[in-house]
């Protein structure tokens, strides 16, 4: 499978370094290595979801109870979570770290993924959620650390878009 | 059974618990009995109270977590029951006050009014301790037993569709949020 194992390991290590100890996830192809890493890590609690929006509630509860968490989801999962993000994480000022696989950009071969790619950044903008792109291993560590820092200092959701050039090797 | 009376009956037991409620009538009624710093009222995000409870229960297994959910809310997030069942935190008691209506927005009937059985759904999702109760005595006993059981429980309490006259209270959302967060810091896990 051409999902980048090395990029996934790099991202996973950075999330650990950021202090993340609970990851909620709903599987998709680009997330397989990340989820397996979480599954095999005795220091990580992996929460497999039925739908991504649950992860907002889980992260909110974990944050208030003193544990750092991250959500792993596809951009379509982000789109499915919008009400929870607005009426839980934003309303209650939760520093939610959203790791979003950004499907549907240039190079996408799956026809069913192509609508989400075009709207994800616009929806993030509309929600006033600060975000950055992860498209090269050069900046992964720096951007994840900075995203977590802003989430904590602003007490607001932030997003990182895991892009094709980083996640897919073909 | 009125929900206010049911909450009143178990209120003394909530002092040592971390409590998450849904919005509207449940939040206003618990506050009318007496707010505590270990009570959090999720004043929107319908459906996510049980998910918040799961996040807390996994983060702080040393604390007893109680969620006061409602039929309208849990029906918006039925998948959460499967996630609760999957991780089955022993320190979580999930109470669903089922008044068979969306009372806070005009009393329109929910699907439980036409036969949907939330305890049945929870059981089928894999939650092993589930029960539906209809009287004050059975509710109080079932709630007390659930706290003692040390096993994830979904307890459905059938209640009358009556609530308070107003839902906005004196407690601001963020004041509640920071007070609640501070409660955890002031009660750190003992090694």
């Amino acid at each position: 499978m051409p999902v980048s194992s090395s990029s996934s390991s790099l991202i996973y290590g950075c999330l650990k370094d950021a202090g993340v100890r609970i990851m909620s996830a709903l599987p998709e192809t680009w997330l397989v290595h990340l989820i397996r890493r979480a599954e095999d890590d005795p220091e990580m609690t992996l929460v497999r979801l039925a739908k991504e929006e649950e992860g907002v509630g889980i992260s909110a509860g974990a944050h208030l109870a003193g544990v750092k968490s991250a959500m792993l989801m596809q951009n379509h999962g982000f789109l499915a979570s919008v009400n929870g993000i607005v009426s839980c994480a934003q309303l209650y000022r939760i520093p939610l770290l959203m790791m979003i696989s950004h499907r549907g950009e240039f190079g996408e071969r799956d026809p069913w993924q192509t609508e989400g790619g075009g709207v994800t950044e616009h929806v993030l903008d509309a929600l006033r959620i600060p975000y950055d792109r992860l498209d090269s291993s050069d900046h992964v560590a720096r951007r994840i650390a900075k995203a977590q820092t802003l989430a904590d200092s602003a007490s607001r959701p932030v997003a990182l878009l895991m892009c094709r050039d980083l996640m897919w090797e073909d | 059974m009125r929900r206010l009376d049911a909450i009143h009956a178990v209120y003394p037991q909530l002092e040592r618990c971390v409590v998450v409620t849904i919005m509207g009538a449940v939040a206003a009624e618990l506050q009318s009995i007496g707010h505590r710093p270990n009570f959090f009222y999720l004043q929107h995000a319908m459906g996510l109270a049980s998910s918040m409870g799961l996040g807390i229960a996994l983060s702080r297994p040393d604390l007893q977590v109680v969620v006061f959910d409602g039929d309208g809310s849990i029906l918006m997030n039925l998948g959460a029951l499967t996630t609760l069942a999957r991780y089955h935190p022993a320190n979580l008691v999930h109470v669903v006050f089922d008044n068979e209506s969306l009372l806070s927005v005009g009393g329109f009937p929910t699907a439980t009014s036409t036969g949907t059985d939330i305890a049945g759904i929870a059981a089928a999702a894999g939650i092993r301790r589930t029960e539906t109760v209809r009287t004050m005595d059975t509710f109080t006993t079932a709630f007390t037993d659930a706290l003692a059981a040390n096993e994830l429980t979904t307890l459905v309490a059938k209640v009358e569709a009556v609530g308070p006259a107003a839902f906005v209270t004196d407690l601001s959302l963020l004041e509640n949020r920071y007070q609640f967060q501070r409660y955890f810091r002031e009660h750190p896990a003992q090694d």
Side-chain angles (χ1 to χ4, degrees), chain A residues 92-107:
Chain A
Y92 283 101
R93 302 293 295 264
I94 303 297
L96 184 67
L97 179 60
M98 296 185 284
M99 303 296 297
I100 301 169
S101 58
H102 195 19
R103 303 295 305 269
E105 288 199 299
F106 281 5

Side-chain angles (χ1 to χ4, degrees), chain A:
Chain A
M1 182 184 293
V3 180
S4 173
S5 175
S6 61
S7 292
S8 301
S9 289
L10 174 63
I11 293 166
Y12 188 82
C14 295
L15 291 171
K16 282 291 292 281
D17 291 345
V20 171
R21 291 299 177 269
I22 291 179
M23 276 185 194
S24 64
L26 206 138
E28 79 117 358
T29 310
W30 289 14
L31 300 176
V32 288
H33 297 309
L34 278 163
I35 291 171
R36 292 209 174 113
R37 288 292 305 266
E39 196 172 45
D40 293 341
D41 182 351
E43 291 181 343
M44 188 67 71
T45 300
L46 172 67
V47 184
R48 298 171 182 278
L49 306 172
K51 197 169 184 180
E52 291 85 351
E53 190 183 12
E54 293 172 59
V56 179
I58 289 166
S59 281
H63 172 70
L64 297 178
V67 175
K68 279 199 198 306
S69 67
M71 292 176 70
L72 295 180
M73 58 192 166
Q74 192 186 77
N75 46 359
H76 291 263
F78 159 70
L79 296 174
S81 305
V82 167
N83 181 56
I85 292 165
V86 173
S87 66
C88 178
Q90 292 188 326
L91 186 65
Y92 283 101
R93 302 293 295 264
I94 303 297
L96 184 67
L97 179 60
M98 296 185 284
M99 303 296 297
I100 301 169
S101 58
H102 195 19
R103 303 295 305 269
E105 288 199 299
F106 281 5
E108 179 66 60
R109 293 196 178 109
D110 294 341
W112 47 88
Q113 301 290 8
T114 53
E115 285 300 310
V119 303
T120 300
E121 293 185 65
H122 296 296
V123 174
L124 284 163
D125 284 331
L127 298 175
R128 298 166 289 121
I129 294 174
Y131 68 92
D132 212 338
R133 297 169 62 93
L134 301 181
D135 44 26
S136 157
S137 56
D138 298 342
H139 56 231
V140 165
R142 202 164 57 247
R143 289 187 183 174
I144 289 177
K146 288 163 79 173
Q148 180 69 64
T149 299
L150 181 66
D152 286 338
S153 61
S155 240
R156 287 191 182 282
V158 299
L160 287 166
L161 299 174
M162 298 182 283
C163 300
R164 175 170 296 273
D165 287 346
L166 180 71
M167 301 305 292
W168 195 254
E169 292 170 347
D170 59 0

Side-chain angles (χ1 to χ4, degrees), chain B:
Chain B
M1 168 168 48
R2 290 197 314 157
R3 183 184 46 230
L4 179 63
D5 296 334
I7 297 173
H8 221 289
V10 299
Y11 183 81
Q13 298 185 74
L14 302 179
E15 182 172 359
R16 64 179 183 85
C17 302
V18 168
V19 182
V20 177
T21 80
I22 57 168
M23 67 188 301
V26 179
E29 286 179 350
L30 180 56
Q31 287 181 58
S32 75
I33 299 169
H35 171 64
R36 292 180 180 279
N38 45 317
F39 297 171
F40 178 78
Y41 317 96
L42 183 60
Q43 295 285 18
H44 211 318
M46 280 181 73
L48 292 189
S50 56
S51 302
M52 270 195 79
L54 175 60
I56 295 168
L58 293 173
S59 299
R60 287 296 302 271
D62 57 310
L63 297 176
Q64 176 66 54
V65 182
V66 173
V67 173
F68 283 163
D69 215 331
D71 50 309
S73 285
I74 195 64
L75 286 169
M76 289 193 190
N77 191 13
L78 287 175
L81 290 170
T82 69
T83 309
L84 280 182
R86 191 170 200 166
Y87 296 95
H88 54 83
N91 57 332
L92 181 57
V93 174
H94 177 218
V95 177
V96 182
F97 289 114
D98 181 2
N99 59 15
E100 304 186 354
S101 81
L102 290 161
L103 182 69
S104 306
V105 289
F108 294 99
T110 67
T112 63
S113 72
T114 54
T116 296
D117 170 8
I118 291 170
I121 294 171
I127 296 174
R128 295 205 316 219
R129 280 191 104 254
T130 63
E131 192 177 351
T132 299
V133 293
R134 298 168 189 279
T135 66
M136 289 290 297
D137 284 351
T138 52
F139 173 72
T140 308
T141 303
F143 183 81
T144 306
D145 290 350
L147 285 183
N150 201 34
E151 184 180 356
L152 171 66
T153 303
T154 292
L155 174 60
V156 178
K158 288 283 191 180
V159 292
E160 294 171 40
V162 291
F167 301 123
V168 177
T169 69
D170 187 40
L171 182 67
S172 88
L173 276 56
L174 289 179
E175 183 181 3
N176 178 218
R177 171 243 192 271
Y178 285 105
Q179 193 181 55
F180 187 66
Q181 183 178 30
R182 204 166 292 120
Y183 176 86
F184 291 97
R185 290 188 186 142
E186 290 169 358
H187 296 79
Q190 305 294 319
D191 289 329

